[in-house]
Amino acid sequence: MAQLWGGRFTKETDQLVYNFNASIGFDQKFFKEDIQGSIAHVTMLEKQGILTGEEKKLIIKGLTSIEEDVDSGKMEITSEYEDIHSFVEANLIKRIGEAGKKLHTGRSRNDQVALDMKLYVRNQVVEVDLLLKEFLGTIHSIMKNNLDTYMPGFTHLQKAQPITLAHHMGAYFEMFKRDRARMKDLYARMNFCPLGSGALAGTTYPLDRFYTASLLGFDGPTNNSMDSVADRDYIIEFLSALSTVMMHLSRFSEEIIIWNSNEYGFVEIDDGYSTGSSIMPQKKNPDIAELVRGKTGRVYAALVSILTTMKGLPLAYNKDMQEDKELTFDAIDTTKGCIALFNGMMATIKFKKDTMARSAMMGFTNATDAADYLVKKGVAFRDAHEIIGRLVLYCIEKNTSIDKLCLQELKEISSVFEEDVFSEISLEACVEKRLTYGAPGSLVMKRQVEENEKYLSEGDLRNE
Ligand code: ARG
């Protein structure tokens, strides 16, 4: 047991208590951020005349050498330290002696951990944004190549109206684009530095918090020292945004699983992204999509967990907040893995265009267009709806489709039908006439794809 706070105590901590309290098992995840924060802190302390130039140099050299030794495997982060902050500080003192004992001047572990976690999460926001951008690139190329790949669009999982694959993928493009906007948004709101807030009430040392904040790439220091050490809103916002990403991926997964089923056969998942069965030799299962759908639960769980942890906490720091880490780390790793794998699966998936088009031609997806045809010929829409309804019933009995009837049969139901009905209700016509902004007609979709291309050429959060 190596602790930073032994002075006031006359007895050793019980081993079980020590284990229960310790966080080194998981907070070593932000080892590098801890070092980065400490370097900024001592740089500021020296500028303010609180440390000498020599002390600052020694401390930074010591910190850097610890980082190098851990990176190279020469040194191991072990559980004899309570947390990552103690590990770094104790080892610094071991390496450089007296000067090392000055690192923690004007700082508490409360503002230190608030900083480390924020730096870590901020890096992860950037990485998630980048992964989403790459994934959007994949969706974009599917869209570009499938402006005239016809397929049925569904409501209630029943065939509704024909659309294109580009249009369907375009819906997901919008969702993940919004997810990126959420990353940008929360990045801007969280990007204020808590360091220098001390335990809760600031400090009597003349710290320059603006300087520390700028050294660490923040837009400025946080405004209230109690809020600084008690705020975990940005984690909640990030987990909420990640939950939304997972919700989107899970819906996408569900569709891929359905499309990959024997009954639909719209897609074939690449062998590299499928798995087999131990007993049924014919099987090729969509396990990646199923796992992504399944893992959505644990990301939601992290969000609910931290909301619950935070809900009754009085100001300022409370040890409960140590619980902000493990599930957050897990949710981040899970979501990043899911985006990357889903991206790989979608980049290699094959779309069976003929099956999709054939499916779009069945199930009366042109019924609305047939009604619109009658409206164009002067029939009121409600009457046209009734006529086509009867026509559909007739087709169901005869096991055929509207476009396969002859003009005579159509005329028996309504004399308004003319020869031109057939070209008006063909699959192609049904899609290509849909030219309202946001609709699947390839003329408008093409413009949308161009817009998306422009959007993808813009920068990402790395350039913030
Ligand atoms: N491991 C602690 C956490 O994660 C660090 C802060 C400790 N502060 C304290 N007052 N005990 O929250």
Side-chain angles (χ1 to χ4, degrees):
M1 289 186 226
Q3 287 152 332
L4 297 171
W5 37 262
R8 187 212 180 284
F9 289 77
T10 51
K11 227 169 124 182
E12 279 277 299
T13 319
D14 181 274
Q15 187 62 48
L16 284 176
V17 173
Y18 181 85
N19 296 346
F20 189 65
N21 198 45
S23 53
I24 189 126
F26 46 88
D27 64 15
Q28 54 182 278
K29 193 112 174 164
F30 47 57
F31 164 66
K32 280 182 177 290
E33 286 80 1
D34 193 78
I35 302 248
Q36 185 192 0
S38 290
I39 290 176
H41 183 62
V42 295
T43 306
M44 180 277 295
L45 290 178
E46 190 259 348
K47 179 179 98 62
Q48 297 303 97
I50 302 164
L51 290 185
T52 67
E54 191 48 37
E55 286 165 337
K56 175 188 101 170
K57 250 207 270 155
L58 263 172
I59 294 175
I60 293 182
K61 213 170 138 221
L63 289 169
T64 319
S65 73
I66 293 172
E67 186 174 10
E68 281 165 6
D69 288 354
V70 169
D71 281 351
S72 70
K74 221 174 176 185
M75 191 178 181
E76 221 188 309
I77 300 174
T78 56
S79 60
E80 77 191 272
Y81 300 95
E82 179 187 345
D83 54 30
I84 195 63
H85 324 295
S86 320
F87 167 83
V88 172
E89 190 176 327
N91 278 290
L92 181 71
I93 296 168
K94 251 191 228 164
R95 284 189 186 201
I96 66 166
E98 280 308 301
K101 295 184 185 165
K102 296 189 176 180
L103 167 66
H104 212 53
T105 313
R107 186 173 76 170
S108 156
R109 272 185 300 166
N110 296 352
D111 59 344
Q112 187 180 0
V113 76
L115 171 73
D116 291 1
M117 189 65 181
K118 211 172 220 186
L119 286 173
Y120 183 83
V121 168
R122 191 177 68 176
N123 287 336
Q124 296 302 317
V125 173
V126 175
E127 285 190 24
V128 169
D129 177 63
L130 203 59
L131 281 166
L132 285 171
K133 190 179 181 192
E134 282 164 17
F135 183 33
L136 281 169
T138 301
I139 299 177
H140 173 68
S141 44
I142 298 174
M143 289 176 73
K144 222 169 145 176
N145 295 329
N146 291 284
L147 286 165
D148 56 359
T149 304
Y150 301 128
M151 64 179 287
F154 297 82
T155 62
H156 313 271
L157 210 50
Q158 307 236 11
K159 284 182 198 173
Q161 292 172 340
I163 52 160
T164 63
L165 181 58
H167 191 242
H168 198 119
M169 288 295 130
Y172 284 104
F173 193 97
E174 294 302 315
M175 292 181 227
F176 294 111
K177 188 176 155 193
R178 282 197 296 275
D179 287 330
R180 285 194 72 205
R182 269 182 273 277
M183 297 303 154
K184 187 168 180 173
D185 197 38
L186 73 93
Y187 183 107
R189 202 167 19 258
M190 73 178 280
N191 200 28
F192 294 90
C193 182
L195 198 64
S197 297
L200 77 161
T203 163
T204 53
Y205 296 98
L207 306 186
D208 184 349
R209 292 193 57 215
F210 288 85
Y211 181 64
T212 316
S214 76
L215 286 177
L216 293 166
F218 286 103
D219 292 329
T222 47
N223 287 332
N224 179 292
S225 61
M226 291 184 79
D227 178 55
S228 304
V229 295
D231 168 37
R232 297 294 184 270
D233 289 5
Y234 66 97
I235 300 178
I236 293 170
E237 283 192 45
F238 188 36
L239 290 175
S240 162
L242 292 182
S243 295
T244 310
V245 170
M246 290 303 296
M247 180 267 290
H248 290 153
L249 281 176
S250 184
R251 295 181 74 172
F252 209 163
S253 295
E254 174 69 13
E255 296 212 298
I256 294 299
I257 293 161
I258 294 174
W259 290 2
N260 186 62
S261 68
N262 303 123
E263 281 70 18
Y264 273 68
F266 283 8
V267 294
E268 186 175 349
I269 298 172
D270 190 75
D271 277 2
Y273 284 88
S274 317
T275 48
S277 157
S278 61
I279 176 168
M280 297 168 282
Q282 84 281 16
K283 284 280 203 160
K284 203 174 126 181
N285 297 327
D287 285 28
I288 297 303
E290 288 174 5
L291 266 176
V292 168
R293 188 177 58 182
K295 283 178 189 289
T296 304
R298 44 200 283 183
V299 179
Y300 290 2
L303 172 63
V304 174
S305 165
I306 182 148
L307 280 169
T308 313
T309 298
M310 295 304 292
K311 77 180 264 293
L313 297 190
L315 293 179
Y317 178 84
N318 300 271
K319 190 69 176 227
D320 315 45
M321 287 156 77
Q322 181 164 290
E323 286 295 309
D324 65 355
K325 294 174 192 62
E326 280 166 290
L327 290 175
T328 300
F329 295 153
D330 180 73
I332 294 170
D333 293 345
T334 300
T335 309
K336 281 165 69 184
C338 287
I339 303 170
L341 275 159
F342 208 91
N343 184 20
M345 183 180 72
M346 291 311 293
T348 50
I349 204 164
K350 288 208 175 46
F351 294 97
K352 300 199 209 152
K353 299 186 187 189
D354 292 344
T355 313
M356 287 175 145
R358 230 178 301 122
S359 168
M361 279 192 264
M362 292 180 303
F364 306 102
T365 58
N366 55 3
T368 315
D369 295 80
D372 289 343
Y373 168 84
L374 293 177
V375 170
K376 258 197 253 164
K377 299 269 175 184
V379 181
F381 181 76
R382 195 45 62 211
D383 293 333
H385 189 286
E386 162 74 23
I387 294 167
I388 302 301
R390 273 191 279 129
L391 197 57
V392 167
L393 205 58
Y394 176 81
C395 290
I396 292 173
E397 276 161 15
K398 294 213 133 199
N399 193 23
T400 183
S401 59
I402 303 175
D403 42 282
K404 292 218 178 75
L405 298 176
C406 66
L407 189 56
Q408 200 42 47
E409 286 172 293
L410 289 170
K411 274 194 178 294
E412 266 162 39
I413 292 186
S414 169
S415 58
V416 181
F417 283 115
E418 306 279 356
E419 189 58 45
D420 61 350
V421 65
F422 297 108
S423 61
E424 290 281 312
I425 64 166
S426 73
L427 178 59
E428 190 181 343
C430 288
V431 175
E432 300 304 349
K433 279 187 299 174
R434 291 189 146 68
L435 294 173
T436 37
Y437 186 78
S442 59
L443 279 179
V444 281
M445 265 321 292
K446 208 165 159 256
R447 252 175 277 142
Q448 191 56 56
V449 166
E450 280 159 18
E451 282 299 312
N452 292 351
E453 186 136 353
K454 227 184 289 157
Y455 162 81
L456 287 173
S457 70
E458 288 161 16
D460 54 71
L461 286 179
R462 282 174 307 177
N463 327 107
E464 284 294 297

